[in-house]
Amino acid sequence: MIRRRTVFVWTTAFLILSFFIMPSAFADLINDGSFENTPSSWEQYFQSACAVPAIGNWSTLPGAPPNFDGQQSLWLGGSCTNGIVRNNGARQTLDLAPDAALLSFWFNPIVGGPDPQNNDQIVAAIDQDSVWSLNVDGINTPTGWNNVIVDINQFADQTISLSFEMQHDNDNDFVSIFLDYVEILHPAITVNQEITTSPVLPGESFTVDITLENSGDILLENIATANTTFNSCSRSAGSLPDLAPGATFTYSCTIPSAVENMENDITASATATEIAYPVVASQNIVVPLTNLMLSIEVSPDDVSVTEGDSILLSVSITNNGNAGLTNVQIATTPNIGCTF
């Protein structure tokens, strides 16, 4: 067991080492979400006399964890060479998208032994208000890299100040927290109905294709659909496959009888991540009912002639429906020469 008082004590040698860390090319998550940029987009701040920069490659230090992603991470906590407990943090201003819903990050606590006061904690805050915190006591603290996901939907479409900091209590015990891979997630689902039967005739059955798409950036689970009219198209959670970002799934259902002015509202729902964050989408469709109507008119409708004389009749056919007609025929009984 590494003793608490000797874990990650800052020395001048460590400071010199940090100046020679080379930045690596990395696709930023949120403005340097993996702490790879040099200079970093994060502003560091300090709440104790131990004001030492904390973004770097600490994986080579004794007892430190490997970086979760890339070559650098954020080191919160620890102490300085003369035993000063180190309270520090990093923050930056972000413009959140209208569909921003979740804050995700990874942390790894390193604790040398139990803390009697049990008040050392890591805090994630938005606009200086805590949205997540965890007491790190050396007993129940999770080990290794741990993912945290926080619902921040109430801050969507706003400019925020996001910060992470270590808050030690008043004793001389301290912990070190390593933080990496900060993301803002945007879970979303899209649903679409398409009637594939053509034409749709009154009283006849027709087929509907339902397409679900993960239009967000995180896996969707527990997908379900509910319908107001097309009851056979509803599916319960667990009966549909999970969808990775960008993935689609289509299934078909049959409606037994088409009626006039028929329409359907479908609602698709799903959850994202272990906190079961809900996402919902809906769509309306009106059934394009095909009416087949044909009228015939003969003129004159009444005539008096001498037996044996010829009669000239005018026959007019009109398509009164909303679909084109083919193979149109005219027949008379008896056949008086007007059969076509």
Side-chain angles (χ1 to χ4, degrees):
M1 173 67 72
I2 300 176
R3 296 178 59 83
R4 287 177 63 87
R5 298 304 299 274
T6 59
V7 176
F8 304 119
V9 176
W10 284 95
T11 68
T12 303
F14 287 172
L15 290 177
I16 295 175
L17 175 65
S18 68
F19 293 135
F20 290 91
I21 294 174
M22 298 298 294
S24 60
F26 189 80
D28 294 340
L29 302 172
I30 57 154
N31 298 343
D32 194 18
S34 278
F35 305 98
E36 300 299 304
N37 292 351
T38 303
S40 176
S41 302
W42 296 88
E43 173 198 359
Q44 298 188 52
Y45 60 94
F46 310 93
Q47 298 169 331
S48 68
C50 188
V52 182
I55 294 176
N57 182 11
W58 315 119
S59 61
T60 59
L61 300 183
N67 298 311
F68 179 81
D69 181 77
Q71 301 301 313
Q72 299 192 142
S73 61
L74 173 65
W75 181 355
L76 303 176
S79 71
C80 291
T81 54
N82 55 1
I84 299 176
V85 173
R86 180 165 173 260
N87 287 329
N88 67 314
R91 62 190 167 212
Q92 67 166 293
T93 299
L94 300 173
D95 293 323
L96 297 185
D99 58 346
L102 301 171
L103 167 66
S104 173
F105 60 92
W106 292 78
F107 77 95
N108 193 329
I110 304 295
V111 185
D115 183 352
Q117 293 193 34
N118 189 25
N119 289 326
D120 297 336
Q121 63 177 346
I122 177 178
V123 176
I126 292 180
D127 298 335
Q128 298 182 344
D129 291 330
S130 173
V131 294
W132 177 86
S133 64
L134 177 69
N135 277 27
V136 187
D137 59 14
I139 301 174
N140 300 317
T141 301
T143 59
W145 284 105
N146 301 269
N147 184 219
V148 174
I149 295 180
V150 183
D151 183 353
I152 60 167
N153 178 64
Q154 68 271 30
F155 301 103
D157 203 21
Q158 298 179 33
T159 299
I160 66 167
S161 175
L162 174 65
S163 62
F164 299 94
E165 65 181 47
M166 186 67 215
Q167 297 178 353
H168 284 113
D169 52 32
N170 294 323
D171 59 24
N172 292 324
D173 293 320
F174 64 89
V175 299
S176 294
I177 300 290
F178 294 86
L179 193 137
D180 210 347
Y181 210 76
V182 184
E183 295 179 283
I184 301 296
L185 302 175
H186 313 80
I189 191 171
T190 303
V191 62
N192 181 69
Q193 307 171 86
E194 180 182 2
I195 296 175
T196 58
T197 301
S198 182
V200 180
L201 302 177
E204 299 293 326
S205 64
F206 60 94
T207 301
V208 181
D209 283 353
I210 307 296
T211 299
L212 300 161
E213 179 184 4
N214 183 342
S215 49
D217 52 17
I218 190 171
L219 177 73
L220 293 182
E221 304 172 305
N222 302 313
I223 301 173
T225 56
N227 296 266
T228 57
T229 303
F230 300 165
N231 295 326
S232 62
C233 296
S234 296
R235 298 291 185 272
S236 60
S239 64
L240 296 170
D242 297 342
L243 290 179
T248 63
F249 177 76
T250 300
Y251 66 92
S252 300
C253 44
T254 300
I255 311 305
S257 180
V259 297
E260 195 75 28
N261 300 320
M262 194 178 202
E263 62 181 289
N264 181 65
D265 291 306
I266 187 171
T267 299
S269 60
T271 59
T273 78
E274 62 271 18
I275 69 172
Y277 182 84
V279 291
V280 178
S282 60
Q283 187 213 26
N284 173 272
I285 192 172
V286 177
V287 178
L289 195 65
T290 298
N291 292 315
L292 302 180
M293 298 180 61
L294 187 66
S295 65
I296 184 169
E297 183 178 348
V298 180
S299 63
D301 57 0
D302 186 19
V303 62
S304 298
V305 296
T306 302
E307 184 177 351
D309 290 348
S310 62
I311 303 174
L312 179 62
L313 300 177
S314 175
V315 180
S316 176
I317 302 175
T318 303
N319 180 354
N320 297 310
N322 59 3
L325 299 176
T326 60
N327 299 319
V328 180
Q329 302 177 50
I330 299 175
T332 60
T333 303
N335 186 353
I336 58 174
C338 291
T339 297
F340 299 92

